[in-house]
Amino acid sequence: MYTREEAKQLRKNFWMMFGKRCEIIPQLLHRKKKWILYDTKIGGLDLKFDIDRFEAWVMIEVNAKSEDRRLQIFELLEKYKVILEEGFENGLQWEICYTREHGEEVCRIFVLQEGFDLHRQNQWADIYNFFIDNMLVLERNFLDIRDVLQEELS
């Protein structure tokens, strides 16, 4: 078992190593910024990676403060579900109401891999591959519809 400080350091090391791993990915080599993440150009919509003791996620998170705005964005994304799910063998999971551990409600569209544990450093390479492979597809699909989303949301 890790102390709070050890767990914090482990998480920090995990993300630093992930950054180094991304530096050698051919598809990311000539990009000024490795991942879109919070720079989607759509307020209240982010692309994210997450990992805990049981599973890893690559996701679109709709986290607009206004519930009406969240639902508007989520419903618009549903309209383009076929495009967003392209390249995902089993599609994506769509969760209209996900409550974060601090109580904040968001919408999530994600691919999930169970059995990954942040504390098992021998899994890190597989977790990084899961993150990279799936985020490359999710980003590509998102960019295919981003301009249309911006128009319809303005």
Side-chain angles (χ1 to χ4, degrees):
M1 198 57 123
Y2 292 101
T3 66
R4 181 180 294 243
E5 194 56 41
E6 290 170 332
K8 182 179 177 180
Q9 186 61 46
L10 184 71
R11 184 169 284 281
K12 182 179 177 181
N13 291 343
F14 174 85
W15 290 113
M16 284 179 19
M17 295 283 290
F18 179 59
K20 290 183 187 308
R21 174 72 171 88
C22 291
E23 289 175 5
I24 62 169
I25 302 300
Q27 298 95 316
L28 301 175
L29 283 180
H30 302 292
R31 290 168 76 166
K32 182 177 178 184
K33 189 173 179 208
K34 297 297 181 206
W35 302 104
I36 295 173
L37 302 179
Y38 302 101
D39 191 22
T40 62
K41 311 260 189 277
I42 297 174
L45 186 149
D46 302 322
L47 301 181
K48 292 186 171 187
F49 300 104
D50 202 2
I51 178 78
D52 65 15
R53 296 288 320 274
F54 308 103
E55 52 208 5
W57 301 265
V58 173
M59 71 184 97
I60 295 174
E61 184 176 88
V62 182
N63 51 28
K65 293 192 187 313
S66 158
E67 182 179 10
D68 289 339
R69 179 71 172 175
R70 271 196 320 273
L71 295 175
Q72 177 190 21
I73 295 169
F74 187 81
E75 289 171 2
L76 188 56
L77 290 167
E78 280 185 313
K79 182 177 169 182
Y80 297 101
K81 183 175 184 171
V82 171
I83 295 169
L84 283 173
E85 292 189 340
E86 190 174 309
F88 290 99
E89 185 176 320
N90 297 314
L92 295 168
Q93 295 183 46
W94 295 69
E95 199 164 327
I96 195 164
C97 186
Y98 177 87
T99 305
R100 290 183 180 164
E101 67 180 49
H102 301 310
E104 181 184 5
E105 289 184 358
V106 297
C107 303
R108 286 187 168 177
I109 303 163
F110 58 94
V111 60
L112 165 79
Q113 178 65 55
E114 295 178 334
F116 281 150
D117 181 350
L118 173 68
H119 291 188
R120 294 187 183 159
Q121 293 182 35
N122 63 335
Q123 292 184 344
W124 285 9
D126 293 330
I127 296 167
Y128 297 155
N129 290 337
F130 169 78
F131 279 170
I132 291 164
D133 293 345
N134 286 286
M135 186 58 85
L136 286 170
V137 174
L138 190 61
E139 272 193 350
R140 182 194 67 224
N141 295 351
F142 172 74
L143 289 173
D144 284 347
I145 64 169
R146 179 172 63 184
D147 292 342
V148 175
L149 293 174
Q150 286 175 305
E151 280 181 33
E152 293 192 38
L153 288 168
S154 59

